[in-house]
C-alpha cells in the first residue's frame, strides 16, 4: 500500500466478532468507527488507506476479523458518495 502520509500518522485498528455469526460488514464498520473515534480524540480526521478482512468459513474459532489501516490528517477528507459504498 503506497501513500504519502508520514509513518507517525499511520495507525491500525483491529476488530474481531464474538462468534462466527457476526456479519463481516458489522465487524469492519466497528473497526472504522473506533478509528474515527480515535481521530476525533486527537482533534484530527481519518483517511482509510486499506483493510484486511478474514476469509470464511467462520467456524472453529475463525471468527470474522477486520483490520483497518488509516492515517490521521488535519484536512477534512472528501466525503464518500453512495456509489463508493
Amino acid at each position: 500500500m503506497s501513500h504519502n502520509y508520514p509513518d507517525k500518522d499511520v495507525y491500525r485498528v483491529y476488530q474481531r466478532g464474538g462468534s462466527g455469526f457476526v456479519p463481516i460488514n458489522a465487524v469492519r464498520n466497528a473497526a472504522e468507527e473506533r478509528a474515527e473515534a480515535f481521530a476525533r480524540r486527537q482533534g484530527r480526521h481519518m483517511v482509510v488507506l486499506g483493510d484486511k478482512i478474514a476469509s470464511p468459513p467462520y467456524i472453529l474459532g475463525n471468527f470474522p476479523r477486520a483490520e483497518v489501516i488509516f492515517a490521521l490528517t488535519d484536512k477534512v477528507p472528501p466525503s464518500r458518495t453512495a456509489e463508493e459504498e
Side-chain angles (χ1 to χ4, degrees), residues 10-33:
V10 177
Y11 297 87
R12 296 171 185 263
V13 64
Y14 174 83
Q15 184 78 28
R16 178 175 170 237
S19 74
F21 299 106
V22 177
I24 192 66
N25 288 340
V27 174
R28 191 197 183 285
N29 289 342
E32 195 167 322
E33 287 172 9

Side-chain angles (χ1 to χ4, degrees), residues 22-81:
V22 177
I24 192 66
N25 288 340
V27 174
R28 191 197 183 285
N29 289 342
E32 195 167 322
E33 287 172 9
R34 289 178 56 204
E36 288 173 355
F38 176 76
R40 279 193 305 273
R41 286 193 307 270
Q42 304 299 314
R44 300 178 78 191
H45 300 279
M46 175 197 77
V47 176
V48 175
L49 302 176
D51 61 12
K52 294 181 183 179
I53 305 295
S55 299
Y58 300 124
I59 57 172
L60 302 174
N62 181 31
F63 296 160
R65 298 180 311 278
E67 180 181 26
V68 175
I69 300 100
F70 64 100
L72 295 183
T73 181
D74 295 327
K75 297 179 184 177
V76 177
S79 346
R80 288 190 284 180
T81 63

